[in-house]
Amino acid sequence: MRTRITELLGIEHPIFQGAMAWIADASLASAVSNAGGLGILAGGSASADVMARQIDEAKARTDKPFALNIMLMSPHADDLAQLAIDKGVQAVTTGAGSPAAYMASWRDAGIKVIPVVASTALARRMEKCGADAVIAEGGESGGHIGELNTMALVPQVVQTVRIPVLAAGGIASGRQLAAALLLGAEGVQVGTRFLTVDECTVHENYKRKVLKAKDSDTIVTGRIAGHPVRGLKNKFAREARSAELKEALDGAEQELRHAGSLRRAAIDGDLETGSFMAGEVAGMVHERGSAAEVVQGLMAEAETILNWDAEQLLAHNETRKNL
Amino acid sequence: MRTRITELLGIEHPIFQGAMAWIADASLASAVSNAGGLGILAGGSASADVMARQIDEAKARTDKPFALNIMLMSPHADDLAQLAIDKGVQAVTTGAGSPAAYMASWRDAGIKVIPVVASTALARRMEKCGADAVIAEGGESGGHIGELNTMALVPQVVQTVRIPVLAAGGIASGRQLAAALLLGAEGVQVGTRFLTVDECTVHENYKRKVLKAKDSDTIVTGRIAGHPVRGLKNKFAREARSAELKEALDGAEQELRHAGSLRRAAIDGDLETGSFMAGEVAGMVHERGSAAEVVQGLMAEAETILNWDAEQLLAHNETRKNL
């Protein structure tokens, strides 16, 4: 499937793998890139040294394009921005703000810049300062979320910019990929579905938590403080929710509570005090498989559905046959 | 377009008009039904006497099917449930809970029952107690919202039940209607887009607020109290947000603040102290028109898009040509 996104990056399928901090490492990213999508290394709050090793390892495992995601609120953001240039990474995606300050250097270095946006205003600003594309991410997603949700956000971002738009948030099946394209997207970013693939090195407890999740098993914490984050329900998340009301008025720092919580989930598999970020689609992720199987499965299902006419589609909806 | 929903209700197009309290009256509902969709009278917190008059007026204006929506938390819910039977209304939709208690009487009376659900658990319960279909409503919608959002909710509900599923939340264009069908829905419910139609009797100030809204102009209040509601930003909404933190801990009643706020918006057009419920798609509603034009426009755009193959779709996305 050829779109401006596949052409822009020289990849086969218009599927990005979401940058999940402590999780999206060289193993996962290279597997997704080898499968024809765009693997993405999550910079998170890691140092340039750590990410340099990840980039080197990814290059050893794949000769296909991959990206570095930079969380702009990280104290290491400047270093990672330079690292991307030094290492000749093909693309950078960004979250938690505007990468305008780095844009000129990246473009001079020939790096493709694709910021994650959660509003038309940020999308417009990103196009103005030279982004090659944007990822419009709705609140269905895991991790840090914006105010808008995918079905409403994607068409409005598409109407706002001329650069290509990818849809993220709630994409775990070919049907959802196809629906995103109908909303005007030219690619998708998938996060949660990749948590359970073989090449994802996250702790087995994390994978199991996703596999047995129901639709109602995610919870958003941090809304009161203005930094909403979606993850799977557990003791940690429930306590965070109870506490945030009190902490918001007391002005108490939530940092102690949250420090290391993501690492405790992803690396240690600590079910009680870990923070298991995942999207609303966790309730429909019931399988493992290789990254290649997931990518191929998404594409095959999406292509089948897109080539149905209206009658065929409705006949399938009526009978609920599995594809 | 024939689906199990059009067949179930004897309507031409699988489009329901959302039940917006103080807004969805006989004028709007009959116009949507005359246009081939399913108009819905919003029971809100109105008495049976008030709704009896609305039903009579709707019957005078259209001989096509229409529905009564019952807000199950209303003190008049029992009376409205009986009214639907007495008046021979063809269908009932419900919100804010489970209508299980009324199901047997409605079914005996031949009334089609279509509850609004925001989780797979409620969808399953509704199917078990005899619902004819469910409306899976994501958090993009205006008014009272659930925890899940459309792109993730609809496929999971579709996987859970065998009865037809309508999608709601973020549907204001043919592209979004088509996307909803790709997710497995057999119909859609549209709310915000109908606020600006000619036959909608809401105050002109309300219509103007919708017409000039940007994507980021809705705000959710009431999350802390567990009753999240989405509406357009204004002084009332901002004060409610500031206050709910304090009120949650004080246990102070928010009722005084909210009493009459919806009426003040819809009837009085009170920009300061009214509550202007609307969905995230308010930012993409820039036109008025008749209900018939909206229904026909949605269908025409959806049918065009659904009959494209993948290549045609992507070519259109790339050039961003208007349909």
Side-chain angles (χ1 to χ4, degrees), chain B residues 83-198:
Chain B
L83 183 70
I85 294 169
D86 297 342
K87 290 287 191 181
V89 172
Q90 294 96 340
V92 170
T93 68
T94 63
S98 161
Y102 310 113
M103 204 70 92
S105 321
W106 284 336
R107 289 175 67 76
D108 286 345
I111 295 175
K112 304 293 188 279
V113 185
I114 310 178
V116 173
V117 302
S119 70
T120 57
L122 186 56
R124 186 178 295 115
R125 279 213 309 281
M126 293 299 92
E127 180 178 51
K128 273 212 175 90
C129 64
D132 295 282
V134 288
I135 299 165
E137 185 174 62
E140 284 91 333
S141 66
H144 291 269
I145 62 175
E147 292 300 310
L148 286 159
N149 302 295
T150 305
M151 182 69 82
L153 174 68
V154 172
Q156 292 189 69
V157 172
V158 166
Q159 286 174 356
T160 300
V161 296
R162 294 207 63 81
I163 53 179
V165 177
L166 294 99
I171 317 284
S173 70
R175 277 188 175 267
Q176 289 153 326
L177 195 169
L181 299 183
L182 255 67
L183 295 180
E186 291 175 72
V188 293
Q189 177 164 281
V190 174
T192 303
R193 181 60 187 92
F194 282 120
L195 285 171
T196 62
V197 301
D198 305 334

Side-chain angles (χ1 to χ4, degrees), chain A residues 201-270:
Chain A
T201 59
V202 80
H203 197 284
E204 173 64 11
N205 285 356
Y206 206 129
K207 295 189 180 189
R208 284 191 193 159
K209 219 168 147 58
V210 172
L211 287 165
K212 55 179 189 161
K214 301 185 308 292
D215 58 328
S216 53
D217 280 337
T218 69
I219 185 173
V220 176
T221 57
R223 280 199 195 276
I224 298 179
H227 296 296
V229 168
R230 181 181 299 285
L232 290 162
K233 289 175 179 171
N234 69 340
K235 185 162 175 257
F236 173 84
R238 280 187 278 266
E239 285 180 355
R241 267 289 276 264
S242 305
E244 64 187 61
L245 202 58
K246 185 165 176 303
E247 286 167 359
L249 285 183
D250 288 355
E253 288 302 333
Q254 291 183 22
E255 274 195 42
L256 262 167
R257 174 189 305 284
H258 288 281
S261 58
L262 200 46
R263 187 185 193 288
R264 285 196 297 273
I267 308 295
D268 305 333
D270 182 339

Side-chain angles (χ1 to χ4, degrees), chain A residues 36-55:
Chain A
L38 185 75
I40 304 181
L41 298 170
S45 51
S47 69
D49 283 346
V50 167
M51 293 318 295
R53 285 196 294 277
Q54 287 291 328
I55 291 170

Side-chain angles (χ1 to χ4, degrees), chain A residues 1 3 5-6 11-16 36 166 186-188 299:
Chain A
M1 184 183 288
T3 80
I5 290 298
T6 59
I11 59 178
E12 194 181 344
H13 306 300
I15 297 177
F16 288 11
L166 294 100
E186 293 175 68
V188 294
M299 293 305 301

